[in-house]
Amino acid sequence: MSEQRPSKTSSSPAPASPPVPFLAFRPGGGPMGMFTETGKSQDTRGTLLRLWSYLQRQRWVLMGTALLVVVTSVADLLGPYLMGLAIDQYINKGNLPGLARLAWLMIMTYIVAAAGTWLQSYWMAGVAQRVVRDLRQDLFARLQTLPLRFFDQHPHGDLMSRLTNDMENISNILATSFSQLISGIFGLVGVVIVMFMLNVPLAVVSLVVMPLTYVLTRAIARRTRQGFREAQQTLGALNGMIEETITGQRVVKAFVREEATIEQFSGVNRRLQRVATRARILAGFMGPLMNMVNNLGLAVVACSGGWLAVQGMATVGEIAAFVNYAGRLGRPLNQIAQLFNLVQSALAGAERVFELMDESPELDAPDARPLEYVRGEVSLDRVNFCYEAGVSVLNDVSLHAEPGQMIALVGPTGAGKTTIANLLTRFYDVDSGTICIDGHDVRAVKKDDLRRKLGLVLQDNFLFADTVMENIRYGRLDADDEEVMAAARLANADLFIRRLPQGYQTVLAERGSNLSQGQRQLLAIARAVLADPDILILDEATSNVDTRTEQHLQEALMRLMEGRTSFVIAHRLSTIRKADNILVVKDGQIVERGDHAGLLALGGFYRQLYMSQFRGQPAL
């Protein structure tokens, strides 16, 4: 069933260990695609504006948080001022009752500041989770609109990383840092204003270090942003490898490739360690540098204050307040500088999230028409298609199916049979030529309407970790329990379902792994029966089961195909003898067509395929 599919391109160095080819289970998957990058430029302003559009939905809570920031900042600023007032007005004059009253006022201001800070954190935690909830919802919804070609070309683990790790980075910055950033900026402005109100010369001296702080912060932030982005991309690659290896664990063990897989994982893991360490080291420079600048500022203020006091231009209380304010001036500067590192990580994650949201969705044509009724006439006219530019998969393919006919597609692996099914369902669109249903070009009708008219049963159907009842009901969500059970009976699945521990309420393991291949196929057929499609596509639906199970499947499929136009892709040619028309596909072209007897009599490629299956000879 496998055919030539698009592969991912790699723009970053591959892991040091050699690639393990058996890991490429998904179309376009595999280790060589781990380091795919979008190539889009970084847009800090655009990313911030888009994040703000989500924050605006919580505007009332943000306004309340901003008000709390004002209150707590004012309370915080009052502390040093009251301390200087206590020294000059009460301690120096020996006024103990006044000092006691002022001490109680200082205690109350600190209590208000602490309570306000706690309430800010409480409110912002809720804001962060609601914003990330909306972001995650929008991102997941966008994933549902993307074409299959996109999933063929992107590692699934990286997509999962964007939905989880990158979202968590955004949540952290919003929950723990947004209010701190506002508080730091407001506190910085407040400290500067109060310092100028107290003593202009000392205020000017205190602000000497601020340009140095700005230069250092800007220089480091630019580099940490790049480092965090690279680390998150590599983490996505690692998640992709983990997801792929766990999914293919049976193959890993069957080929005794545990050591090779561990070695390959180690290569990507070491790369993540290198880039993450580099990013953290760069981010770690910020704290020590800010502490150094802060201590330098305190020394300058202390020396300058002492000289001004000797000259009679400042009181002892003012100097004490200024030393305290100088420390507080360094605190918001340090806070803002440290937050820059977190912001860089969050922005890198947000960029990756928005990159995914900006992918082009699978859209109908502007003038797409609804498809309400289908008789089942299908035609392909001179269809050409390739997954990758220049690598042709179908060449000038034409076919016609009358309503109710059974059309069989046979041929060697990779000939293009499954591609025809993919084009009928519009998982991909033709490069040239047309596909029509009842005379309507499928590109001119709404995709949802088209796919509701089509039923698809694959060789390896996907079952969800839910009950048997809900897995069948997936074919038509509004079906009641009796309709689900009736579909199961028509699909020959009712008997084995009732033997399960909880019958129809039995919860399946992931991908239905607690069922046999034949049982999974019967559930897939029941799902298709419930959907009641007008056109049916069976892609190797009976190829992986034993002869006895195949007989049950064939009986169910014959009931399902009755009265419907059906396309059957089969390697077992014995299953398609009754087809109205058999199309022999080879190298992307239909080389023979006719019924079973006529093709055997022709003595061509179909006869070779047929005889090889019954004589044990190789087909090619």
Side-chain angles (χ1 to χ4, degrees):
M1 187 179 98
S2 61
E3 297 177 6
Q4 186 172 14
R5 305 298 292 272
S7 59
K8 306 179 189 75
T9 56
S10 176
S11 58
S12 300
S17 57
V20 184
F22 59 85
L23 288 176
F25 298 108
R26 298 187 311 275
M32 296 303 289
M34 290 294 183
F35 301 107
T36 303
E37 295 184 14
T38 60
K40 296 182 181 178
S41 60
Q42 298 176 7
D43 179 11
T44 304
R45 184 173 179 274
T47 302
L48 287 172
L49 287 175
R50 293 179 72 170
L51 278 176
W52 177 245
S53 70
Y54 283 88
L55 280 167
Q56 280 184 316
R57 303 174 189 178
Q58 315 290 324
R59 62 174 63 89
W60 295 111
V61 182
L62 290 176
M63 288 172 65
T65 303
L67 181 61
L68 275 177
V69 167
V70 173
V71 172
T72 54
S73 296
V74 169
D76 202 40
L77 288 171
L78 275 175
Y81 174 78
L82 293 176
M83 183 182 68
L85 190 64
I87 293 173
D88 288 341
Q89 299 298 325
Y90 298 104
I91 295 177
N92 287 343
K93 296 179 180 180
N95 187 349
L96 295 182
L99 180 62
R101 289 193 299 271
L102 193 63
W104 276 110
L105 181 59
M106 291 177 67
I107 291 171
M108 291 304 298
T109 59
Y110 288 130
I111 290 175
V112 168
T117 300
W118 176 84
L119 196 55
Q120 288 173 39
S121 300
Y122 178 79
W123 284 357
M124 284 308 301
V127 168
Q129 291 307 312
R130 286 189 291 273
V131 167
V132 171
R133 175 201 64 195
D134 293 343
L135 267 171
R136 190 182 292 116
Q137 183 69 34
D138 289 351
L139 179 58
F140 187 79
R142 173 47 61 97
L143 284 174
Q144 305 313 304
T145 69
L146 298 179
L148 279 184
R149 188 185 295 271
F150 172 85
F151 294 99
D152 285 344
Q153 297 173 344
H154 290 77
H156 295 180
D158 181 65
L159 301 181
M160 292 168 60
S161 182
R162 299 189 194 214
L163 271 164
T164 54
N165 297 330
D166 292 335
M167 287 293 184
E168 191 63 25
N169 284 334
I170 297 172
S171 174
N172 288 338
I173 187 66
L174 293 178
T176 63
S177 306
F178 185 78
S179 60
Q180 293 180 24
L181 187 62
I182 297 174
S183 178
I185 294 172
F186 191 87
L188 182 63
V189 173
V191 166
V192 171
I193 291 174
V194 173
M195 289 172 79
F196 272 98
M197 289 174 61
L198 285 175
N199 192 300
V200 174
L202 268 180
V204 173
V205 171
S206 300
L207 298 181
V208 168
V209 298
M210 288 192 70
L212 180 59
T213 302
Y214 172 78
V215 171
L216 290 174
T217 301
R218 186 175 177 82
I220 295 175
R222 185 169 58 250
R223 289 168 174 79
T224 54
R225 168 91 172 280
Q226 182 180 354
F228 281 126
R229 182 178 176 84
E230 186 179 359
Q232 285 168 252
Q233 287 175 334
T234 311
L235 179 60
L238 192 70
N239 287 337
M241 178 175 289
I242 293 170
E243 186 265 342
E244 191 169 56
T245 305
I246 291 175
T247 303
Q249 194 60 220
R250 186 183 301 273
V251 180
V252 173
K253 292 186 180 300
F255 286 89
V256 197
R257 292 294 188 269
E258 291 90 344
E259 290 299 324
T261 304
I262 293 170
E263 182 182 352
Q264 189 181 26
F265 179 87
S266 178
V268 184
N269 197 26
R270 283 195 299 270
R271 182 173 182 229
L272 176 59
Q273 176 236 321
R274 288 195 301 270
V275 297
T277 301
R278 186 163 60 245
R280 293 296 176 185
I281 288 174
L282 285 170
F285 283 144
M286 190 71 75
L289 285 174
M290 291 303 102
N291 284 332
M292 181 190 72
V293 173
N294 188 33
N295 292 332
L296 178 62
L298 283 172
V300 170
V301 168
C303 294
S304 301
W307 183 82
L308 290 174
V310 172
Q311 300 300 318
M313 298 173 63
T315 66
V316 174
E318 286 177 346
I319 295 171
F322 254 89
V323 170
N324 203 312
Y325 277 127
R328 289 170 184 265
L329 181 66
R331 188 173 67 186
L333 286 174
N334 284 340
Q335 192 177 55
I336 293 170
Q338 292 293 338
L339 288 177
F340 261 110
N341 292 324
L342 295 177
V343 168
Q344 301 315 308
S345 179
L347 283 178
E351 281 182 351
R352 282 165 47 82
V353 168
F354 290 134
E355 280 174 1
L356 209 52
M357 287 189 183
D358 290 338
E359 290 290 339
S360 299
E362 188 179 38
L363 297 175
D364 289 321
D367 56 348
R369 301 185 302 274
L371 187 65
E372 297 176 356
Y373 173 76
V374 169
R375 293 185 299 110
E377 182 184 6
V378 179
S379 64
L380 277 70
D381 183 29
R382 305 181 69 84
V383 166
N384 293 278
F385 176 76
C386 56
Y387 290 107
E388 295 182 13
V391 184
S392 181
V393 178
L394 293 181
N395 301 298
D396 201 31
V397 171
S398 298
L399 63 87
H400 184 80
E402 293 292 340
Q405 279 191 329
M406 174 183 172
I407 307 298
L409 300 171
V410 302
T413 300
K417 305 183 298 296
T418 299
T419 298
I420 293 175
N422 286 337
L423 296 177
L424 282 172
T425 53
R426 284 200 70 193
F427 291 156
Y428 299 87
D429 279 330
V430 299
D431 295 331
S432 63
T434 57
I435 298 178
C436 294
I437 294 179
D438 292 350
H440 302 293
D441 190 325
V442 294
R443 290 171 295 185
V445 300
K446 294 184 177 180
K447 288 184 178 181
D448 287 351
D449 288 350
L450 171 67
R451 290 170 183 166
R452 287 192 185 99
K453 305 299 181 184
L454 298 171
L456 187 62
V457 181
L458 303 173
Q459 178 182 13
D460 186 15
N461 286 282
F462 191 93
L463 296 178
F464 298 93
D466 204 338
T467 64
V468 172
M469 181 76 75
E470 293 307 317
N471 267 283
I472 298 175
R473 203 194 311 271
Y474 202 77
R476 182 161 58 86
L477 297 180
D478 60 352
D480 59 34
D481 289 356
E482 183 53 44
E483 289 176 305
V484 171
M485 289 186 282
R489 286 192 291 271
L490 282 172
N492 277 350
D494 181 73
L495 184 60
F496 95 79
I497 292 174
R498 293 189 181 277
R499 291 175 177 171
L500 295 174
Q502 284 83 41
Y504 282 87
Q505 299 306 317
T506 300
V507 177
L508 301 182
E510 185 180 3
R511 298 175 181 266
S513 59
N514 53 339
L515 298 179
S516 69
Q517 177 70 34
Q519 290 171 334
R520 292 197 293 269
Q521 289 298 85
L522 288 174
L523 291 187
I525 294 171
R527 182 188 288 171
V529 169
L530 188 63
D532 192 24
D534 296 297
I535 298 172
L536 187 64
I537 300 172
L538 306 175
D539 191 350
E540 302 287 359
T542 65
S543 62
N544 287 337
V545 296
D546 60 86
T547 304
R548 186 170 181 274
T549 304
E550 182 184 4
Q551 186 176 3
H552 287 290
L553 291 176
Q554 285 295 337
E555 292 173 0
L557 289 173
M558 292 307 295
R559 294 194 192 106
L560 181 58
M561 289 188 288
E562 187 174 351
R564 294 181 172 90
T565 304
S566 304
F567 290 85
V568 181
I569 299 171
H571 275 132
R572 292 185 183 179
L573 302 187
S574 59
T575 64
I576 47 92
R577 291 181 181 181
K578 297 180 181 180
D580 297 293
N581 199 6
I582 300 174
L583 307 178
V584 183
V585 185
K586 182 181 180 183
D587 298 330
Q589 295 179 313
I590 298 176
V591 295
E592 295 175 7
R593 63 184 77 204
D595 59 20
H596 175 70
L599 288 173
L600 283 180
L602 187 64
F605 188 63
Y606 178 80
R607 181 179 176 84
Q608 295 178 30
L609 290 173
Y610 184 80
M611 298 306 292
S612 68
Q613 291 190 8
F614 291 94
R615 293 180 180 176
Q617 298 173 358
L620 296 177

